[in-house]
Amino acid sequence: MSFLSVREICRGVSNKNTLYTFLFVLLHQSSIAFSIFASVMVSGYILEINQHYEALKLWVFLYIVAMILPYIIGYFSDVYKEKCLCESLSRFWQSATKRYQSCTDSRTVDHTLGVYVSQGKSAISDFIGYAFWGMSSGLNFFLSLLMITAFIDWRFFVSVMISVLLILGFNKLISSHLENNAVTTHKAGSSLTSTLSTIHDNVHFGSSVNALAYQTRFEEGKAKYLGLRIKEAVFRYKALLVSSLLALAPTSCVLLFIFTSSSVPMEVKVASIVNFTRIYHLLNSASDIVSLLISFPSIKGQLSVMTCFSKNKPLYQPQWNIAILKDNESVDTVNLAQAQEGRFRVVGENGSGKTSFLRHLCAKNDYLYFNPSKRLLWPWDDSAILSDGMYSAKSIQWLLENSSGHLILDEWDAFLDSENTKKIGALIDSYADSRVIIEVRQ
């Protein structure tokens, strides 16, 4: 999945299950459209029941079948829609995981983590629902309108087209405002998600100061997100109300004319009565089309938030005031880069940039990096509860015994007592004969 633009994201969401779902939706809506034609035939034969009783029975049977069949077909379309959603989420997580390292940075404040953890899944789920709702509503609207126009009265087509023009004009007036609201709301939601994800470290590894700072930021983020969400919803629902009234008014006037005018043939009135519910359902479909048009900027805004994965790390000019030692002798970065074995130590005052230097080496050369202050996932059974010291010792031992290449140990002795520090130090020495090990000591 590409994150360069909303269009590329939509292409990444499409898969083979999309086609199957569309075919079942087409069958579903075609069956509904045929039921309108069958009901018109039933209406005509009712007026001449004595002459066409057998034909009436046939068309009643076909009408019933056409009303039942959509429920059966709908089962398959729903199943394939869910398969399409699951495949799309799989692609998103796989692509976003690969892109995450190059689109975020610890020195920047962004919402990338929130999009990866929560907002991306929400945006894709909403888009899949929106897309198939659009397919279903669009086919229902146009096929039903075609049948009603061709076999009941042409005036319905005129009234619906008037509604569409009114709605399109209204939507054009408010679309940019809706999209901006959606982008702002979902960015605030992503930031809140990122804040929520820090609760464990701030509460368990920090102090009351950290917990209080977390709570303050959480309350601010929560209030901002919920306020923006309510504001967006109120505006959207007002727009839907106005658009629904625009959609209903013209066709309602046509119905009043048909039932009150003496110039309209009786068979048209009977067909309109039989399809009264279907005609207003057509208006509901028109309202759905309206909702689709009005919701499009919001869906686009949600998806555009995911383009954060296309943004690379900001350029960063590292600065540090450190020294590199091997056997208490100074070594420059050129010799360090060319080394194939040995134990190197990075030293410097607090704030001199030791950790920044190590992280720079990792980013530039893809070295293995370990810092015990952050608990990470490892390829061993982590169901046992380990103390900080046990975690440090087990992690370092596993890295030494089960990995190759340059290894960076950043303040690896921070949680170890003197006995375990000596033990791990001796182990590091034994492996430094065959690989480069770079360390910062507590």
Side-chain angles (χ1 to χ4, degrees), residues 191-235:
S191 297
L192 176 60
T193 301
S194 297
T195 300
L196 290 172
S197 69
T198 66
I199 184 173
H200 187 78
D201 288 349
N202 279 286
V203 173
H204 291 278
F205 298 132
S207 63
S208 58
V209 174
N210 304 108
L212 180 60
Y214 164 82
Q215 188 66 29
T216 300
R217 185 169 299 181
F218 160 67
E219 292 293 341
E220 292 173 352
K222 180 185 70 173
K224 180 180 180 181
Y225 169 67
L226 296 179
L228 287 170
R229 180 163 181 159
I230 291 173
K231 179 181 177 182
E232 179 195 6
V234 169
F235 185 85

Side-chain angles (χ1 to χ4, degrees), residues 65-227:
V65 171
M67 294 296 289
I68 294 174
L69 193 59
Y71 293 96
I72 300 173
I73 300 174
Y75 161 78
F76 293 100
S77 63
D78 288 339
V79 168
Y80 277 102
K81 182 179 74 172
E82 193 64 27
K83 289 183 178 181
C84 175
L85 173 60
C86 291
E87 175 67 19
S88 300
L89 290 175
S90 175
R91 288 185 180 183
F92 164 66
W93 281 318
Q94 186 176 20
S95 301
T97 299
K98 292 179 179 178
R99 290 286 302 157
Y100 188 82
Q101 185 176 356
S102 61
C103 70
T104 189
D105 191 275
S106 60
R107 292 173 293 273
T108 63
V109 179
D110 55 32
H111 57 275
T112 311
L113 177 61
V115 175
Y116 178 77
V117 173
S118 176
Q119 299 301 112
K121 174 179 175 292
S122 174
I124 290 177
S125 299
D126 289 349
F127 173 73
I128 294 292
Y130 174 86
F132 290 118
W133 174 40
M135 273 193 273
S136 180
S137 298
L139 287 169
N140 181 281
F141 175 75
F142 290 109
L143 292 176
S144 296
L145 178 61
L146 177 64
M147 290 295 175
I148 290 172
T149 301
F151 298 105
I152 299 181
D153 197 291
W154 60 270
R155 297 179 184 88
F156 287 111
F157 178 82
V158 175
S159 67
V160 170
M161 289 301 102
I162 292 173
S163 295
V164 169
L165 291 175
L166 291 172
I167 292 162
L168 287 174
F170 179 67
N171 181 66
K172 187 172 180 62
L173 289 174
I174 63 173
S175 60
S176 61
H177 190 69
L178 283 167
E179 183 174 348
N180 291 335
N181 282 351
V183 171
T184 303
T185 300
H186 282 274
K187 282 186 176 180
S190 297
S191 297
L192 176 60
T193 301
S194 297
T195 300
L196 290 172
S197 69
T198 66
I199 184 173
H200 187 78
D201 288 349
N202 279 286
V203 173
H204 291 278
F205 298 132
S207 63
S208 58
V209 174
N210 304 108
L212 180 60
Y214 164 82
Q215 188 66 29
T216 300
R217 185 169 299 181
F218 160 67
E219 292 293 341
E220 292 173 352
K222 180 185 70 173
K224 180 180 180 181
Y225 169 67
L226 296 179

Side-chain angles (χ1 to χ4, degrees), residues 20-36:
Y20 296 144
T21 307
F22 173 76
L23 291 176
F24 281 115
V25 169
L26 179 60
L27 290 172
H28 181 224
Q29 297 304 331
S30 297
S31 179
I32 292 175
F34 178 77
S35 72
I36 297 175

Side-chain angles (χ1 to χ4, degrees), residues 18 33 127 159 243 259 275 322 339 377 416:
T18 307
F127 173 73
S159 67
S243 298
F259 290 124
N275 285 282
I322 51 94
L377 297 177
L416 298 175

Side-chain angles (χ1 to χ4, degrees), residues 391-440:
Y391 170 78
S392 299
K394 186 171 183 179
S395 300
I396 296 170
Q397 184 174 354
W398 188 92
L399 282 167
L400 292 171
E401 295 175 352
N402 296 277
S403 69
S404 59
H406 289 20
L407 175 61
I408 293 177
L409 303 176
D410 188 4
E411 297 190 350
W412 60 269
D413 56 341
F415 302 118
L416 298 175
D417 56 27
S418 58
E419 181 179 349
N420 281 305
T421 298
K422 292 178 181 179
K423 180 180 177 180
I424 296 298
L427 189 62
I428 293 172
D429 271 334
S430 66
Y431 279 90
D433 292 336
S434 57
R435 67 191 299 183
V436 172
I437 299 176
I438 307 169
E439 64 178 339
V440 168

